[in-house]
Amino acid sequence: MSESPYKSGTTHFGFKDVAAKDKQKLVGEVFSSVAGNYDLMNDLMSLGVHRVWKRYFVGTAQVKRGDRVLDLAGGTGDIAALLKDRVGPEGEIVLGDINAGMLSVGRDRMTNRGLVAGLDYVQCNAEALPFPDNSFDLVTIAFGLRNVTDKDAGLREMFRVLKVGGQARVLEFSEVTVDWFKPVYDFHSFKILPRLGQLFAKDADSYQYLAESIRKHPPQEELKTMMQEAGFERCSYKNLSAGIVAVHTGYKV
């Protein structure tokens, strides 16, 4: 298990070592920069396949009509919009994000799509959630855990606010499992992606950070162990697209 960044005093920001207390601010600056181009960012990073990954992530989640769901790092509302159909008009989705800019974009987009009822928006830190114990039937976080400074604390908080019998799901870029594809993926991540970011969003640095942050994120087995140590049972993961991303699942029993 990796050492908590708060114990060591430093953590990673991409490939750089920074003071743990500064990472939240630095990550916030990245996502404030890319908020208006978030869908473009995901399309550039995944060649558009992120939309399929998200549909699989939601479509295989343990959720039913009337459930209460917390979607952390909710970004522009992609996951919440997909979940809305599954929880129905009697269900509730809380879309949480630490970044006010991302939260604002998400709320505007959901409203423009006519999705208003049963949706709440909360600016919150995944490491210290402002919700009581046993509050949600499902907790999700898609492409956000790698940006949390203290991931162990974030996972413990997800466990705390989950109801007994509830499910937690993590969708995150992970470690490619096919050897021949690794150099191709690295070339796209470090050579092509920042240039596309500069061309389309006038922001190469943020896209460089995002590529680096993927490589610093715990690989599949390590994240599975972290979820177990946070209290989750029946932990498992499924690789998608040769491990470019993985869907992690755990239960509170």
Side-chain angles (χ1 to χ4, degrees):
M1 178 179 171
S2 58
E3 183 182 27
S4 168
Y6 290 123
K7 293 178 181 177
S8 64
T10 63
T11 189
H12 54 80
F13 177 72
F15 289 161
K16 301 174 184 175
D17 288 330
V18 299
K21 63 182 179 60
D22 294 335
K23 181 174 179 177
Q24 181 177 313
K25 175 176 178 291
L26 293 168
V27 171
E29 290 171 352
V30 169
F31 281 89
S32 293
S33 174
V34 304
N37 293 299
Y38 187 66
D39 288 339
L40 171 64
M41 176 194 78
N42 283 328
D43 283 331
L44 293 178
M45 292 181 72
S46 71
L47 303 180
V49 185
H50 73 97
R51 302 174 191 275
V52 178
W53 295 333
K54 289 172 180 175
R55 288 190 176 278
Y56 176 86
F57 179 65
V58 171
T60 56
Q62 176 185 287
V63 64
K64 63 185 185 301
R65 295 178 74 84
D67 277 355
R68 188 168 189 242
V69 180
L70 172 63
D71 179 35
L72 290 171
T76 50
D78 289 356
I79 301 299
L82 293 171
L83 283 165
K84 194 71 181 72
D85 290 336
R86 298 206 59 193
V87 302
E90 60 269 48
E92 180 187 1
I93 298 171
V94 178
L95 197 157
D97 203 298
I98 196 171
N99 186 280
M102 294 292 291
L103 205 59
S104 177
V105 170
R107 182 172 55 244
D108 290 347
R109 291 191 177 185
M110 296 289 273
T111 302
N112 289 341
R113 296 172 65 175
L115 299 174
V116 178
L119 289 163
D120 291 311
Y121 301 85
V122 178
Q123 185 174 359
C124 59
N125 187 337
E127 299 171 17
L129 296 174
F131 308 109
D133 297 355
N134 307 307
S135 297
F136 298 95
D137 300 286
L138 172 69
V139 179
T140 61
I141 182 167
F143 302 121
L145 184 61
R146 74 181 187 279
N147 297 307
V148 175
T149 304
D150 191 340
K151 296 173 181 60
D152 294 312
L155 291 170
R156 288 193 300 269
E157 280 292 272
M158 290 172 66
F159 181 83
R160 180 183 66 79
V161 302
L162 194 63
K163 295 179 181 178
V164 174
Q167 184 188 63
R169 303 208 99 198
V170 178
L171 173 63
E172 190 55 87
F173 288 104
S174 202
E175 186 172 76
V176 172
T177 58
V178 179
D179 288 339
W180 69 263
F181 185 62
K182 290 180 181 179
V184 178
Y185 183 53
D186 285 344
F187 181 80
H188 170 73
S189 298
F190 296 113
K191 300 298 183 182
I192 303 299
L193 181 60
R195 294 180 183 179
L196 292 174
Q198 181 60 40
L199 179 65
F200 290 103
K202 301 295 185 287
D203 186 356
D205 290 345
S206 291
Y207 287 76
Q208 179 73 27
Y209 159 72
L210 291 166
E212 292 176 0
S213 71
I214 293 169
R215 300 317 191 278
K216 299 297 288 185
H217 184 68
Q220 290 91 323
E221 284 293 333
E222 184 178 348
L223 182 54
K224 178 182 176 181
T225 298
M226 291 169 66
M227 291 186 69
Q228 291 169 334
E229 292 180 348
F232 293 104
E233 301 284 349
R234 295 167 53 202
C235 295
S236 63
Y237 62 85
K238 180 175 179 60
N239 290 321
L240 304 179
S241 301
I244 292 177
V245 301
V247 176
H248 284 259
T249 302
Y251 295 85
K252 184 173 183 177
V253 299

